[in-house]
Amino acid sequence: MTEEKAAASLSPFEQALGEITRLAGELRPNIGFWNSDWPSRFSQIEVSVDRFVASQTQLDDKRCKDLVGVIKARREKLSLSSGITTPILGICQQILAFGGAGIALTVGFVDKVKQFAPVVQKVLMSVGIFYGELIVLSLAVLMLYMLQARFRYPSIYFEKIGNAWPFFYYAAITPVSRNPLQGGGARFDASVAYAKDYVRFCERVLNETESDRLRAELQQYFLLMSYQAYVHQFALRLASLFMYGFIGAVATLIIMLSSIAISYFGGGIL
Amino acid sequence: MRYTGLVGEFKWWGFFASLALCLGSALLLFNRVSYVKDTTQEVAKAANQSLELEVKAMQATVDRLEQRISVVEQKVPSQGSREGEATQKRVPAPKK
Protein backbone atom coordinates (compact mmCIF):
# COMPACT_ATOMS: atom_id res chain seq x y z
CA MET A 1 0.00 0.00 0.00
CA THR A 2 2.78 2.36 0.92
CA GLU A 3 4.53 1.60 -2.34
CA GLU A 4 1.37 2.30 -4.30
CA LYS A 5 0.94 5.62 -2.52
CA ALA A 6 4.57 6.49 -3.18
CA ALA A 7 4.18 5.59 -6.86
CA ALA A 8 0.98 7.58 -7.16
CA SER A 9 2.60 10.65 -5.62
CA LEU A 10 5.24 10.71 -8.34
CA SER A 11 4.72 12.89 -11.41
CA PRO A 12 4.27 11.13 -14.78
CA PHE A 13 7.80 12.26 -15.66
CA GLU A 14 9.26 10.68 -12.52
CA GLN A 15 7.20 7.55 -13.04
CA ALA A 16 8.44 7.17 -16.60
CA LEU A 17 12.04 7.79 -15.58
CA GLY A 18 11.72 5.28 -12.75
CA GLU A 19 10.19 2.72 -15.07
CA ILE A 20 13.04 3.15 -17.58
CA THR A 21 15.67 2.83 -14.85
CA ARG A 22 14.02 -0.29 -13.43
CA LEU A 23 13.69 -2.01 -16.80
CA ALA A 24 17.25 -1.06 -17.77
CA GLY A 25 18.55 -2.55 -14.53
CA GLU A 26 16.73 -5.80 -15.27
CA LEU A 27 17.65 -6.08 -18.95
CA ARG A 28 21.21 -4.70 -19.12
CA PRO A 29 23.14 -7.46 -17.29
CA ASN A 30 21.94 -10.03 -19.86
CA ILE A 31 23.17 -8.10 -22.89
CA GLY A 32 26.74 -8.90 -23.86
CA PHE A 33 29.02 -7.45 -26.53
CA TRP A 34 27.84 -9.86 -29.25
CA ASN A 35 24.10 -9.62 -28.51
CA SER A 36 22.53 -8.42 -31.74
CA ASP A 37 18.96 -8.77 -30.44
CA TRP A 38 19.27 -5.84 -28.00
CA PRO A 39 16.62 -3.79 -29.95
CA SER A 40 14.00 -6.40 -29.19
CA ARG A 41 14.93 -6.30 -25.50
CA PHE A 42 14.80 -2.51 -25.59
CA SER A 43 11.21 -2.57 -26.87
CA GLN A 44 9.84 -2.72 -23.30
CA ILE A 45 11.57 0.57 -22.48
CA GLU A 46 10.42 2.03 -25.81
CA VAL A 47 6.79 1.21 -24.96
CA SER A 48 7.16 2.98 -21.62
CA VAL A 49 8.59 6.11 -23.25
CA ASP A 50 5.98 6.07 -25.99
CA ARG A 51 3.19 5.88 -23.42
CA PHE A 52 4.63 8.86 -21.50
CA VAL A 53 5.16 11.06 -24.59
CA ALA A 54 1.71 10.21 -25.96
CA SER A 55 0.10 11.19 -22.67
CA GLN A 56 2.06 14.46 -22.40
CA THR A 57 1.28 15.64 -25.95
CA GLN A 58 -2.50 15.40 -25.52
CA LEU A 59 -2.95 19.17 -25.32
CA ASP A 60 -5.43 21.61 -26.83
CA ASP A 61 -4.84 22.65 -30.44
CA LYS A 62 -3.71 26.18 -29.70
CA ARG A 63 -1.11 25.00 -27.21
CA CYS A 64 0.05 22.36 -29.67
CA LYS A 65 0.46 24.93 -32.47
CA ASP A 66 2.43 27.29 -30.25
CA LEU A 67 4.74 24.52 -29.16
CA VAL A 68 5.22 23.27 -32.72
CA GLY A 69 6.25 26.80 -33.74
CA VAL A 70 8.80 27.04 -30.93
CA ILE A 71 10.23 23.60 -31.63
CA LYS A 72 10.54 24.25 -35.37
CA ALA A 73 12.41 27.51 -34.78
CA ARG A 74 14.84 25.84 -32.39
CA ARG A 75 15.35 22.79 -34.57
CA GLU A 76 16.29 24.90 -37.58
CA LYS A 77 19.12 26.48 -35.60
CA LEU A 78 20.75 23.20 -34.64
CA SER A 79 24.27 22.84 -36.08
CA LEU A 80 24.60 19.31 -37.41
CA SER A 81 28.02 19.40 -39.04
CA SER A 82 31.60 19.65 -37.83
CA GLY A 83 34.12 22.13 -39.23
CA ILE A 84 37.27 20.20 -38.30
CA THR A 85 36.64 16.81 -39.87
CA THR A 86 36.96 17.83 -43.53
CA PRO A 87 40.32 19.65 -43.17
CA ILE A 88 41.81 16.76 -41.18
CA LEU A 89 40.71 14.25 -43.80
CA GLY A 90 42.15 16.48 -46.54
CA ILE A 91 45.52 16.61 -44.78
CA CYS A 92 45.55 12.83 -44.34
CA GLN A 93 44.72 12.29 -48.00
CA GLN A 94 47.58 14.60 -49.03
CA ILE A 95 50.00 12.76 -46.73
CA LEU A 96 49.01 9.42 -48.24
CA ALA A 97 49.29 10.76 -51.81
CA PHE A 98 52.76 12.24 -51.27
CA GLY A 99 53.78 9.19 -49.23
CA GLY A 100 52.94 6.90 -52.13
CA ALA A 101 55.00 9.00 -54.50
CA GLY A 102 57.84 9.13 -51.98
CA ILE A 103 57.92 5.36 -51.62
CA ALA A 104 58.12 4.95 -55.40
CA LEU A 105 61.03 7.42 -55.61
CA THR A 106 62.81 5.80 -52.65
CA VAL A 107 62.68 2.37 -54.26
CA GLY A 108 64.26 3.79 -57.38
CA PHE A 109 67.07 5.70 -55.69
CA VAL A 110 67.76 3.75 -52.49
CA ASP A 111 71.09 2.37 -53.77
CA LYS A 112 72.42 5.87 -54.38
CA VAL A 113 71.78 6.82 -50.76
CA LYS A 114 74.69 4.59 -49.72
CA GLN A 115 77.06 6.99 -51.42
CA PHE A 116 76.23 9.74 -48.94
CA ALA A 117 78.12 10.26 -45.70
CA PRO A 118 76.86 8.20 -42.72
CA VAL A 119 75.41 11.23 -40.96
CA VAL A 120 73.47 12.23 -44.08
CA GLN A 121 72.15 8.68 -44.37
CA LYS A 122 71.01 8.80 -40.75
CA VAL A 123 69.20 12.10 -41.31
CA LEU A 124 67.48 10.74 -44.40
CA MET A 125 66.50 7.61 -42.48
CA SER A 126 65.03 9.71 -39.66
CA VAL A 127 63.01 11.82 -42.08
CA GLY A 128 61.81 8.65 -43.81
CA ILE A 129 60.69 7.15 -40.50
CA PHE A 130 58.90 10.42 -39.63
CA TYR A 131 56.96 10.36 -42.89
CA GLY A 132 56.23 6.66 -42.44
CA GLU A 133 54.69 7.43 -39.06
CA LEU A 134 52.58 10.16 -40.64
CA ILE A 135 51.37 7.64 -43.22
CA VAL A 136 50.39 5.18 -40.48
CA LEU A 137 48.66 8.03 -38.61
CA SER A 138 46.74 9.05 -41.75
CA LEU A 139 45.57 5.48 -42.27
CA ALA A 140 44.44 5.28 -38.64
CA VAL A 141 42.52 8.57 -38.94
CA LEU A 142 40.84 7.44 -42.15
CA MET A 143 39.95 4.10 -40.60
CA LEU A 144 38.40 5.84 -37.58
CA TYR A 145 36.50 8.19 -39.85
CA MET A 146 35.08 5.29 -41.90
CA LEU A 147 34.00 3.49 -38.72
CA GLN A 148 32.30 6.69 -37.52
CA ALA A 149 30.66 7.23 -40.91
CA ARG A 150 29.25 3.69 -40.83
CA PHE A 151 28.18 3.97 -37.21
CA ARG A 152 24.64 2.70 -36.65
CA TYR A 153 22.98 5.18 -34.32
CA PRO A 154 20.82 3.50 -31.67
CA SER A 155 17.79 5.59 -32.66
CA ILE A 156 17.49 3.90 -36.04
CA TYR A 157 16.55 0.68 -34.23
CA PHE A 158 13.62 2.32 -32.42
CA GLU A 159 10.14 1.76 -33.73
CA LYS A 160 8.17 4.34 -31.73
CA ILE A 161 10.62 6.91 -30.35
CA GLY A 162 13.22 7.15 -33.12
CA ASN A 163 12.94 9.12 -36.33
CA ALA A 164 9.51 10.69 -36.56
CA TRP A 165 7.48 9.46 -39.54
CA PRO A 166 7.16 12.86 -41.33
CA PHE A 167 10.92 13.39 -41.38
CA PHE A 168 12.63 10.10 -42.20
CA TYR A 169 11.80 7.20 -44.48
CA TYR A 170 12.37 4.51 -41.85
CA ALA A 171 8.88 4.95 -40.40
CA ALA A 172 7.08 5.51 -43.72
CA ILE A 173 8.69 3.26 -46.37
CA THR A 174 8.51 -0.53 -46.42
CA PRO A 175 11.90 -2.20 -46.95
CA VAL A 176 12.16 -3.51 -50.52
CA SER A 177 15.00 -4.91 -52.60
CA ARG A 178 17.73 -2.35 -53.36
CA ASN A 179 19.52 -4.60 -55.81
CA PRO A 180 20.50 -2.45 -58.82
CA LEU A 181 19.62 -5.37 -61.10
CA GLN A 182 16.02 -6.46 -60.59
CA GLY A 183 13.63 -8.62 -62.50
CA GLY A 184 9.95 -8.07 -63.12
CA GLY A 185 8.86 -9.84 -59.91
CA ALA A 186 11.00 -7.72 -57.61
CA ARG A 187 9.89 -4.53 -59.34
CA PHE A 188 6.25 -5.56 -59.02
CA ASP A 189 6.66 -6.28 -55.28
CA ALA A 190 8.36 -2.91 -54.79
CA SER A 191 5.53 -1.20 -56.62
CA VAL A 192 2.91 -2.89 -54.43
CA ALA A 193 4.84 -1.76 -51.33
CA TYR A 194 5.01 1.76 -52.79
CA ALA A 195 1.23 1.82 -53.30
CA LYS A 196 0.49 0.61 -49.76
CA ASP A 197 3.01 3.04 -48.21
CA TYR A 198 1.49 5.89 -50.19
CA VAL A 199 -2.01 5.04 -48.95
CA ARG A 200 -0.81 4.84 -45.34
CA PHE A 201 1.15 8.08 -45.67
CA CYS A 202 -1.85 9.91 -47.07
CA GLU A 203 -4.04 8.62 -44.28
CA ARG A 204 -1.56 9.78 -41.63
CA VAL A 205 -0.95 13.22 -43.09
CA LEU A 206 -4.59 13.99 -43.80
CA ASN A 207 -5.80 12.79 -40.40
CA GLU A 208 -2.92 14.20 -38.39
CA THR A 209 -3.98 16.12 -35.31
CA GLU A 210 -2.16 18.96 -33.65
CA SER A 211 -1.09 16.55 -30.93
CA ASP A 212 0.38 14.22 -33.56
CA ARG A 213 2.28 17.14 -35.11
CA LEU A 214 3.57 18.20 -31.72
CA ARG A 215 4.69 14.65 -30.97
CA ALA A 216 6.50 14.35 -34.30
CA GLU A 217 8.21 17.73 -34.02
CA LEU A 218 9.31 17.10 -30.47
CA GLN A 219 10.60 13.62 -31.28
CA GLN A 220 12.58 14.75 -34.32
CA TYR A 221 13.96 17.78 -32.47
CA PHE A 222 15.35 15.62 -29.71
CA LEU A 223 16.66 13.03 -32.17
CA LEU A 224 18.59 15.69 -34.06
CA MET A 225 20.09 16.91 -30.80
CA SER A 226 21.20 13.37 -30.03
CA TYR A 227 22.66 13.13 -33.54
CA GLN A 228 24.49 16.42 -33.00
CA ALA A 229 26.15 14.93 -29.92
CA TYR A 230 27.44 12.01 -31.95
CA VAL A 231 28.72 14.24 -34.76
CA HIS A 232 30.48 16.60 -32.38
CA GLN A 233 32.02 13.90 -30.23
CA PHE A 234 33.16 11.94 -33.29
CA ALA A 235 34.84 15.07 -34.64
CA LEU A 236 36.57 15.73 -31.32
CA ARG A 237 37.94 12.20 -31.17
CA LEU A 238 39.14 12.35 -34.77
CA ALA A 239 40.93 15.63 -34.09
CA SER A 240 42.43 14.29 -30.87
CA LEU A 241 43.78 11.18 -32.59
CA PHE A 242 45.35 13.31 -35.30
CA MET A 243 46.88 15.73 -32.80
CA TYR A 244 48.30 12.99 -30.59
CA GLY A 245 49.84 11.17 -33.55
CA PHE A 246 51.19 14.26 -35.28
CA ILE A 247 52.84 15.69 -32.18
CA GLY A 248 54.27 12.28 -31.31
CA ALA A 249 55.80 11.94 -34.79
CA VAL A 250 57.24 15.48 -34.76
CA ALA A 251 58.67 15.01 -31.26
CA THR A 252 60.24 11.71 -32.34
CA LEU A 253 61.85 13.40 -35.36
CA ILE A 254 63.26 16.18 -33.18
CA ILE A 255 64.66 13.67 -30.69
CA MET A 256 66.30 11.57 -33.41
CA LEU A 257 67.83 14.55 -35.23
CA SER A 258 69.12 15.93 -31.94
CA SER A 259 70.68 12.57 -31.10
CA ILE A 260 72.32 12.39 -34.53
CA ALA A 261 73.69 15.91 -34.09
CA ILE A 262 75.03 15.07 -30.63
CA SER A 263 76.68 11.86 -31.86
CA TYR A 264 78.17 13.71 -34.85
CA PHE A 265 79.79 16.38 -32.69
CA GLY A 266 80.51 14.05 -29.74
CA GLY A 267 79.46 10.65 -28.28
CA GLY A 268 75.79 9.68 -28.70
CA ILE A 269 73.16 6.97 -28.95
CA LEU A 270 72.67 6.69 -32.71
CA MET B 1 25.16 13.69 -15.62
CA ARG B 2 25.90 16.14 -18.39
CA TYR B 3 28.70 16.86 -20.80
CA THR B 4 31.37 19.31 -19.66
CA GLY B 5 34.49 20.74 -21.23
CA LEU B 6 36.53 17.95 -19.68
CA VAL B 7 35.08 15.51 -22.21
CA GLY B 8 36.76 17.16 -25.18
CA GLU B 9 40.00 18.25 -23.54
CA PHE B 10 43.30 16.76 -24.58
CA LYS B 11 44.55 14.05 -22.27
CA TRP B 12 48.22 14.01 -21.31
CA TRP B 13 48.35 10.22 -21.50
CA GLY B 14 47.36 10.46 -25.17
CA PHE B 15 50.46 12.47 -26.02
CA PHE B 16 52.71 10.21 -23.96
CA ALA B 17 51.27 7.07 -25.50
CA SER B 18 51.71 8.51 -29.00
CA LEU B 19 55.29 9.60 -28.26
CA ALA B 20 56.13 6.18 -26.81
CA LEU B 21 54.72 4.40 -29.86
CA CYS B 22 56.42 6.73 -32.36
CA LEU B 23 59.79 6.74 -30.60
CA GLY B 24 59.76 2.99 -29.96
CA SER B 25 58.93 2.12 -33.55
CA ALA B 26 61.44 4.67 -34.85
CA LEU B 27 64.29 3.24 -32.77
CA LEU B 28 63.33 -0.30 -33.72
CA LEU B 29 63.27 0.56 -37.43
CA PHE B 30 66.46 2.59 -37.21
CA ASN B 31 68.41 -0.22 -35.63
CA ARG B 32 66.96 -3.08 -37.65
CA VAL B 33 66.36 -1.61 -41.07
CA SER B 34 69.08 1.02 -41.38
CA TYR B 35 72.15 -0.03 -43.29
CA VAL B 36 74.14 2.96 -42.12
CA LYS B 37 77.53 1.86 -40.78
CA ASP B 38 79.40 4.41 -38.80
CA THR B 39 82.44 2.79 -37.17
CA THR B 40 83.36 3.91 -33.73
CA GLN B 41 86.79 5.27 -33.07
CA GLU B 42 88.02 2.08 -31.39
CA VAL B 43 86.92 -0.15 -34.23
CA ALA B 44 88.50 2.22 -36.75
CA LYS B 45 91.73 2.24 -34.77
CA ALA B 46 91.85 -1.55 -34.65
CA ALA B 47 91.16 -1.71 -38.38
CA ASN B 48 93.95 0.81 -38.97
CA GLN B 49 96.36 -1.20 -36.88
CA SER B 50 95.65 -4.44 -38.70
CA LEU B 51 96.05 -2.66 -42.03
CA GLU B 52 99.34 -1.17 -40.87
CA LEU B 53 100.62 -4.62 -39.94
CA GLU B 54 99.64 -5.94 -43.33
CA VAL B 55 101.41 -3.03 -44.99
CA LYS B 56 104.56 -3.73 -42.95
CA ALA B 57 104.49 -7.39 -43.88
CA MET B 58 104.07 -6.48 -47.54
CA GLN B 59 106.92 -3.96 -47.28
CA ALA B 60 109.16 -6.63 -45.76
CA THR B 61 108.25 -8.97 -48.63
CA VAL B 62 109.00 -6.23 -51.15
CA ASP B 63 112.42 -5.55 -49.51
CA ARG B 64 113.29 -9.21 -49.53
CA LEU B 65 112.35 -9.59 -53.16
CA GLU B 66 114.38 -6.48 -54.10
CA GLN B 67 117.39 -7.93 -52.32
CA ARG B 68 117.08 -11.18 -54.20
CA ILE B 69 116.72 -9.29 -57.47
CA SER B 70 119.90 -7.36 -56.79
CA VAL B 71 121.75 -10.60 -56.03
CA VAL B 72 120.48 -12.20 -59.20
CA GLU B 73 121.43 -9.13 -61.24
CA GLN B 74 125.01 -9.34 -59.95
CA LYS B 75 125.27 -12.96 -60.97
CA VAL B 76 123.71 -12.60 -64.42
CA PRO B 77 126.38 -11.24 -66.97
CA SER B 78 125.65 -8.38 -69.46
CA GLN B 79 124.53 -9.41 -73.03
CA GLY B 80 127.34 -10.49 -75.64
CA SER B 81 130.22 -10.61 -73.15
CA ARG B 82 132.41 -13.80 -73.21
CA GLU B 83 134.03 -12.84 -70.00
CA GLY B 84 130.58 -12.87 -68.58
CA GLU B 85 130.14 -16.42 -69.85
CA ALA B 86 133.58 -17.50 -68.56
CA THR B 87 132.88 -15.92 -65.29
CA GLN B 88 129.64 -17.71 -65.21
CA LYS B 89 131.40 -21.08 -65.91
CA ARG B 90 134.08 -20.51 -63.25
CA VAL B 91 131.52 -19.79 -60.55
CA PRO B 92 131.79 -22.81 -58.23
CA ALA B 93 128.72 -24.72 -57.35
CA PRO B 94 127.36 -23.82 -53.97
CA LYS B 95 128.32 -26.18 -51.16
CA LYS B 96 125.58 -28.27 -49.77
Side-chain angles (χ1 to χ4, degrees):
Chain A
M1 194 66 176
T2 311
E3 286 179 2
E4 287 173 2
K5 279 187 182 174
S9 66
L10 294 172
S11 66
F13 161 71
E14 287 165 335
Q15 285 180 17
L17 213 56
E19 178 79 1
I20 293 169
T21 306
R22 184 185 65 78
L23 286 169
E26 289 173 7
L27 297 166
R28 180 62 182 90
N30 300 323
I31 301 176
F33 182 83
W34 299 107
N35 278 107
S36 59
D37 63 340
W38 67 267
S40 61
R41 301 186 197 207
F42 180 76
S43 60
Q44 301 177 49
I45 297 176
E46 195 175 11
V47 163
S48 176
V49 175
D50 180 55
R51 193 166 50 233
F52 168 75
V53 175
S55 68
Q56 294 299 303
T57 52
Q58 295 301 319
L59 305 170
D60 58 277
D61 287 356
K62 185 180 179 313
R63 177 84 175 125
C64 287
K65 279 184 182 173
D66 292 342
L67 285 170
V68 165
V70 169
I71 290 168
K72 269 188 180 174
R74 288 178 183 173
R75 200 179 73 216
E76 282 161 7
K77 292 185 175 66
L78 279 178
S79 167
L80 298 176
S81 63
S82 164
I84 192 70
T85 302
T86 305
I88 288 177
L89 292 178
I91 291 169
C92 292
Q93 287 164 359
Q94 290 290 325
I95 289 173
L96 285 174
F98 282 107
I103 288 171
L105 282 172
T106 303
V107 168
F109 293 98
V110 68
D111 56 334
K112 292 186 172 44
V113 175
K114 287 185 182 180
Q115 299 171 10
F116 293 130
V119 67
V120 174
Q121 292 183 47
K122 285 181 184 176
V123 169
L124 289 174
M125 186 71 187
S126 301
V127 171
I129 289 172
F130 166 70
Y131 207 86
E133 288 170 348
L134 287 184
I135 290 174
V136 172
L137 171 66
S138 300
L139 288 172
V141 167
L142 286 175
M143 182 64 69
L144 178 63
Y145 172 74
M146 282 189 271
L147 287 172
Q148 290 174 351
R150 277 292 293 141
F151 182 74
R152 308 289 288 164
Y153 303 102
S155 58
I156 62 174
Y157 295 97
F158 302 163
E159 289 186 11
K160 298 182 195 301
I161 61 173
N163 279 284
W165 66 268
F167 302 102
F168 197 61
Y169 69 92
Y170 263 44
I173 306 295
T174 303
V176 294
S177 172
R178 304 295 175 190
N179 192 338
L181 299 172
Q182 294 185 12
R187 289 179 195 271
F188 183 81
D189 294 339
S191 303
V192 170
Y194 177 90
K196 285 183 179 176
D197 291 338
Y198 184 36
V199 165
R200 285 195 201 102
F201 197 74
C202 287
E203 199 274 338
R204 287 183 90 168
V205 171
L206 296 173
N207 294 308
E208 192 183 14
T209 63
E210 292 297 331
S211 293
D212 294 335
R213 284 202 190 103
L214 173 63
R215 166 79 192 260
E217 292 286 340
L218 187 61
Q219 194 160 306
Q220 194 65 13
Y221 176 41
F222 181 74
L223 185 132
L224 288 178
M225 192 166 286
S226 168
Y227 173 73
Q228 182 195 52
Y230 277 107
V231 168
H232 192 233
Q233 291 297 312
F234 280 165
L236 276 179
R237 277 152 179 75
L238 201 74
S240 295
L241 173 65
F242 184 78
M243 280 296 292
Y244 292 150
F246 190 78
I247 289 179
V250 169
T252 299
L253 177 67
I254 291 172
I255 290 170
M256 293 180 73
L257 290 178
S258 304
S259 186
I260 290 169
I262 290 170
S263 67
Y264 181 70
F265 294 110
I269 301 167
L270 296 175
Chain B
M1 191 180 135
R2 52 163 293 169
Y3 279 105
T4 64
L6 290 171
V7 174
E9 282 184 354
F10 283 123
K11 309 292 188 293
W12 285 110
W13 59 262
F15 289 111
F16 287 130
S18 172
L19 183 61
L21 272 172
C22 290
L23 201 55
S25 59
L27 288 174
L28 191 71
L29 280 171
F30 201 94
N31 287 322
R32 295 286 176 93
V33 176
S34 173
Y35 49 76
V36 173
K37 301 292 178 199
D38 185 15
T39 56
T40 60
Q41 288 184 348
E42 290 78 18
V43 172
K45 195 175 172 184
N48 279 345
Q49 284 176 346
S50 69
L51 285 172
E52 280 173 5
L53 287 172
E54 282 182 33
V55 166
K56 279 184 185 173
M58 284 183 198
Q59 191 63 46
T61 306
V62 166
D63 292 341
R64 194 169 58 253
L65 288 171
E66 280 180 353
Q67 204 173 9
R68 287 179 66 180
I69 289 169
S70 65
V71 167
V72 168
E73 279 178 352
Q74 286 174 2
K75 292 178 184 177
V76 171
S78 57
Q79 286 183 355
S81 167
R82 284 189 169 273
E83 287 181 358
E85 286 180 6
T87 307
Q88 196 173 18
K89 283 178 186 175
R90 284 192 211 130
V91 170
K95 291 181 182 177
K96 290 184 183 175

